[in-house]
Amino acid sequence: MTYSVTTAGAPAAQQFDLWESAVSQTFVPLEAAPGERAAFRGRLRGQNLGSVAVYEATADAHTVRRTQRAIARSNPELYKLGLQLHGTARLSQDGRQAALDPGDFAIYDTTRPYTLAFDDVSSTLVLMFPRDMLCLPSGHVEQLTATRFSGGSGVSGIVSSILVQLARNLDDPQVYGSVRLARNVVDLLGTALADRVDYSGVPTESTRGALLVKIKSYVETHLNDPSLSPTEIAAAHHISTRYLHKLFSDAGVTVSGWIRQRRLERCGQDLADPSKQQLAIGAIGARWGLVDASYLSRAFKTEYGLSPSEYRQRSVVHRGD
């Protein structure tokens, strides 16, 4: 069920206090300051998808701070991702500042102070999840807090587009498999972060984990190539095919199995996307490297329990509810 709170209807003198209380209770304790307007409009809606909280916050100009005093009140080890949907935001943490336009996102760590400033009416999609869900070591992520990730291209563009679709469908409890989608988004975020990490001076074990994330990032951007193979992937990363298989085996998956899973998930996202309803199912499969329509149908039904056409129809029905 989607949670929703709004300042509409509350006395003007109480509106901002209501907002500060809502965001502090939904996320982590925060201290906030309003803009210059006497009244304050704010709406927070979303839900928890397993251990991942997904919320859209729309509000007038204001600033929120995660101060040492707020951290002392409650300090769960969480990361937050903020994707700008409308308006702009400025995120500051660890001596860096990211200016975010619509489509851009940044990550921040709730265990350390940060500031988010919104100079005008804005809307932000916020993901909050345990730090150990990211396969990157915390020291790597610390290099990238308050760093702007563009929604225009590459893996960060894929993350952005999925999050925008998620924001549009927050009220649908069946959206893209819910908990599974949240897990996949966090995995994709890890690949986007891995591309920006400086690996110099990193211990061997951490480097191995980061290499796997970087390889997954490579695969993600080459899913449309039907000839993508372990040999090509290994060569692109200057490792042996045997070592590549070991990296995936240690993570509990096979190379080909992970590629197939990601292709099917991307097909599922396209099948549920209203803007792609005119695309033939075969064209969607080919778009993600699955050029054999009969194989796509069999593999998709094995993975999701529905044929591609049934999955698309169910998505249409849910949107109409």
Side-chain angles (χ1 to χ4, degrees):
M1 179 180 294
T2 302
Y3 164 84
S4 181
V5 63
T6 178
T7 63
Q14 299 175 18
Q15 287 175 338
F16 191 77
D17 289 341
L18 174 61
W19 179 254
E20 183 177 26
S21 175
V23 294
S24 290
Q25 292 178 20
T26 302
F27 302 119
V28 289
L30 298 165
E31 297 177 7
E36 296 180 353
R37 288 189 180 184
F40 182 86
R41 298 168 301 172
R43 183 190 178 202
L44 183 67
R45 69 185 186 99
Q47 57 184 301
N48 291 336
L49 305 181
S51 55
V52 181
V54 184
Y55 285 83
E56 181 181 1
T58 302
D60 287 333
H62 69 292
T63 300
V64 294
R65 294 181 176 86
R66 178 76 166 149
T67 63
Q68 289 291 1
R69 182 170 60 180
I71 291 170
R73 287 167 53 194
S74 177
N75 190 23
E77 295 192 351
L78 302 169
Y79 288 131
K80 292 173 74 176
L81 175 149
L83 172 87
Q84 209 57 26
L85 296 168
H86 304 288
T88 60
R90 286 175 286 112
L91 168 65
S92 302
Q93 187 173 52
D94 299 326
R96 290 180 293 271
Q97 183 176 101
L100 305 178
D101 292 320
D104 297 339
F105 66 86
I107 191 168
Y108 42 114
D109 189 328
T110 66
T111 67
R112 298 190 302 282
Y114 64 79
T115 299
L116 261 170
F118 306 94
D119 293 331
D120 208 334
V121 180
S122 65
S123 183
T124 306
L125 187 75
V126 180
L127 265 67
M128 185 172 72
F129 53 90
R131 296 201 312 175
D132 60 11
M133 282 188 71
L134 271 184
C135 49
L136 281 173
S138 60
H140 291 14
V141 180
E142 190 173 341
Q143 299 178 25
L144 299 171
T145 52
T147 296
R148 172 182 171 270
F149 285 80
S150 171
S153 62
V155 180
S156 62
I158 295 173
V159 175
S160 176
S161 64
I162 293 175
L163 290 174
V164 169
Q165 286 293 323
L166 181 57
R168 291 173 181 167
N169 293 276
L170 268 181
D171 296 321
D172 181 357
Q174 302 299 321
V175 60
Y176 300 161
S178 291
V179 174
R180 186 170 189 172
L181 171 65
R183 171 73 262 185
N184 290 338
V185 170
V186 173
D187 286 344
L188 275 174
L189 172 62
T191 66
L193 295 175
D195 279 343
R196 303 276 285 271
V197 171
D198 177 5
Y199 295 109
S200 60
V202 175
T204 302
E205 184 176 347
S206 295
T207 302
R208 189 180 301 117
L211 175 60
L212 179 60
V213 175
K214 195 170 185 65
I215 289 170
K216 286 184 174 181
S217 174
Y218 177 87
V219 171
E220 199 69 41
T221 57
H222 290 78
L223 287 175
N224 63 334
D225 181 1
S227 65
L228 183 66
S229 67
T231 301
E232 176 192 334
I233 296 167
H237 293 84
H238 311 291
I239 59 175
S240 68
T241 305
R242 180 178 179 181
Y243 185 56
L244 174 70
H245 285 300
K246 177 172 172 46
L247 285 172
F248 276 80
S249 177
D250 289 347
V253 293
T254 65
V255 180
S256 59
W258 194 81
I259 293 172
R260 180 175 62 253
Q261 177 187 338
R262 289 301 304 140
R263 281 174 166 160
L264 291 174
E265 287 166 355
R266 295 298 287 159
C267 287
Q269 290 159 12
D270 281 358
L271 289 168
D273 186 345
S275 69
K276 296 184 176 66
Q277 288 300 298
Q278 301 307 313
L279 272 181
I281 290 172
I284 286 176
R287 192 166 179 256
W288 298 111
L290 297 173
V291 295
D292 186 331
S294 60
Y295 172 80
L296 168 62
S297 182
R298 291 194 307 272
F300 197 92
K301 189 160 189 175
T302 298
E303 182 74 13
Y304 292 97
L306 297 169
S307 69
S309 58
E310 290 169 338
Y311 186 89
R312 171 177 267 175
Q313 182 58 36
R314 189 187 71 170
S315 300
V316 170
V317 170
H318 280 307
R319 287 197 301 274
D321 290 344

